[in-house]
Amino acid sequence: MKNRNHKYALLLVVAVAATSTGVLSTAYAQQIDDGMDGYTARGTGIDTGNPAECWYETEPGSGTFAPCMIDTGDTAWMLTATTLVLFMTPGVAFFYGGLARSKNMVNVLGMTLVVMGLISVQWVLWGYSLAFGPVNNDANLFMGSLDYAGFNKVSHVAPLGSPSACTDQVYYTLRSPYVVSTDVKCSAIWPGTIPHQLFAMFQATFAIITPALIIGGIIDRIKFSAFVVFILLWATFVYDPVAHWVWGGGIIYAGKLDMNPDLAPSFALDYAGGTVVHITSGFSALAGALVLGRRLGYGKVPMEPHNIPMVVLGTGMLWFGWFGFNGGSGVAADGLATSAWVVTNTATGMAALTWMLMAWAHTGKPSIVGTASGAVAGLVTITPASGFVGPMAALIIGIAAGTVCYGCVAFKNSRKWDDALDVWGVHGMGGFTGAVLTGTLASPHIWDTGLGIGAWTGTPEGYEQQAINIMGALMSVGYSFGVTIVILKVMDAVWPGGIRVTPKEEEIGLDLAQHGERAYVNE
């Protein structure tokens, strides 16, 4: 076993060395005068008084330049939001670690930590390009191009998109991929007030936390080495394509779900990741639990959380970081960010209370672990709707999160599906519920353009938006569940001894069996 692990480590070192060599071939992307997306830094020949400014040629070959309008307020907020979302992944580690048994605590933390490292690298090398690379042909409706591989053309000074004229009445797509704004401001195509590289790294934090959520469904059973390879494959073939479908100009965003071209809705609404993040992770976690099988002693021996204070700490970290998750998804420091902040907090509080009351009525005691799970369910369910609904709708979504997710966890337990930490019930079904309710409750009053009209308005546009959101959610469910099963089945067939640890290792605990370390040393 030790020799085999050494071979795996050697293969990883070789892979890293090869990757480093390949990265050198795209080093030109970091040059300031390569015309990234039509922009040039310090290359105008004009004495601007600020050599760090970014300029673009208003007409190719004209010799007339205008400044790239990077907004310092938006940039400062997005740097903060990006950091908040990254902070959420350690929150997942503590939340899941507290729910796990003490003999597997180090393994849970280790899996979360390796996801942060692995996806941070994968996203720069090819993940961002597959998710947000330009749509050059019909094939790119399903997966992005490789134009941004190695962060080629991803500038730290120029915004994303084609340059636009700098006038007082410019119309531009800014706040989200779903709205054309008439703000009196000079900008490029969305998200034109922040550097392209900042937008890419904000999205990186979403790509990091999503596979980390899957850990809760497969703890106590999977080999660490197999997990590392699985996450790399899953991020590339599940997360990146779905993110491209919904946010990167792919099949869901490109109007391919449009049932009536005479009506305004043509794509599914997902403001901050209900479909992209939570449905994919939740249903993939269920797929992983089913492929791996039940843990030894499941349903026969106690498997209660070993550290409830850690569970509450993790919940608090998630609640705190989620304001960057939802509040930052409009890519601007404005009123929409404020609205997203308000509804996120409101729905989360309502969901925590609802779950607590459901558990109290069901078991006779107000479970604190249940209340924490309810809060996470509320955060999940409001996510796709956070930029489209107001406070009263947020209360409805919070109640739905508490009841639906609680019921799904109870159903999962009755079916004896060993999704250990209820990822499917909370994230999968919470994300699905949120996607459906976004189509129901989206308010035209949140968007001054009139987009984002839900079925509650009683309009044909609202009914079509409801149907499109359901279709988009079902596409994510089927794809993520099916592809995850294929990945794990193939890996299990080719992996030496399979991807599951031996019964002896499972009994000892993965901390010692896989890592040779213990979370708690009392001697």
Side-chain angles (χ1 to χ4, degrees), residues 393-414:
L395 289 174
I396 296 172
I397 290 173
I399 294 170
T403 53
V404 172
C405 294
Y406 184 90
C408 287
V409 170
F411 173 77
K412 181 266 301 183
N413 291 337
S414 70

Side-chain angles (χ1 to χ4, degrees), residues 145-368:
S145 61
L146 291 175
D147 291 32
Y148 296 149
F151 266 29
N152 177 40
K153 298 185 179 181
V154 182
S155 173
H156 64 288
V157 291
L160 168 66
S162 304
S164 63
C166 194
T167 68
D168 288 339
Q169 297 295 330
V170 67
Y171 288 72
Y172 62 96
T173 307
L174 169 65
R175 300 304 185 233
S176 131
Y178 313 118
V179 62
V180 176
S181 171
T182 58
D183 292 12
V184 179
K185 194 171 185 179
C186 184
S187 178
I189 300 300
W190 173 88
T193 60
I194 67 171
H196 187 174
Q197 205 165 96
L198 176 54
F199 171 76
M201 292 313 297
F202 178 66
Q203 293 297 334
T205 60
F206 284 66
I208 289 168
I209 195 171
T210 305
L213 296 173
I214 300 174
I215 294 169
I218 59 178
I219 63 168
D220 301 359
R221 289 160 286 180
I222 192 168
K223 293 176 181 176
F224 190 80
S225 55
F227 173 78
V228 172
V229 174
F230 163 69
I231 288 300
L232 188 62
L233 294 173
W234 188 90
T236 302
F237 295 107
V238 178
Y239 181 84
D240 294 343
V242 175
H244 182 70
W245 296 356
V246 178
W247 291 332
I251 188 169
I252 292 179
Y253 176 74
K256 298 300 182 180
L257 302 182
D258 195 0
M259 296 176 292
N260 186 347
D262 294 330
L263 299 177
S266 61
F267 42 79
L269 301 176
D270 184 6
Y271 189 73
T275 300
V276 178
V277 174
H278 299 292
I279 288 179
T280 59
S281 61
F283 279 85
S284 295
L286 178 61
L290 294 176
V291 170
L292 287 167
R294 301 186 185 107
R295 291 167 291 173
L296 294 179
Y298 176 76
K300 300 177 182 178
V301 299
M303 296 184 179
E304 60 186 309
H306 90 279
N307 193 323
I308 293 177
M310 193 173 291
V311 173
V312 175
L313 173 63
T315 303
M317 293 169 68
L318 286 169
W319 196 329
F320 175 71
W322 222 288
F323 293 121
F325 200 83
N326 291 352
S329 289
V331 199
D334 62 1
L336 189 57
T338 302
S339 177
W341 200 107
V342 170
V343 299
T344 297
N345 195 64
T346 303
T348 303
M350 188 74 253
L353 294 174
T354 302
W355 190 300
M356 181 189 72
L357 292 173
M358 292 280 290
W360 204 339
H362 188 201
T363 67
K365 295 184 183 297
S367 168
I368 301 306

Side-chain angles (χ1 to χ4, degrees), residues 28-40:
Y28 67 89
Q30 306 305 318
Q31 298 178 26
I32 61 176
D33 58 353
D34 67 349
M36 289 180 277
D37 288 352
Y39 297 96
T40 304

Side-chain angles (χ1 to χ4, degrees), residues 91 98 107 114 178-179 189 200 226 276 286 311 319 324 366 379 425 444 453 465 480 499 511:
N107 182 249
V114 79
Y178 313 118
V179 62
I189 300 300
V276 178
L286 178 61
V311 173
W319 196 329
L379 291 164
I453 300 175
Q465 187 66 72
S480 57
I499 61 175
D511 288 2

Side-chain angles (χ1 to χ4, degrees), residues 9-24 121 125:
L10 180 59
L11 286 174
L12 287 173
V13 170
V14 172
V16 170
T19 299
S20 300
T21 303
V23 167
L24 294 177
V121 174
L125 293 180

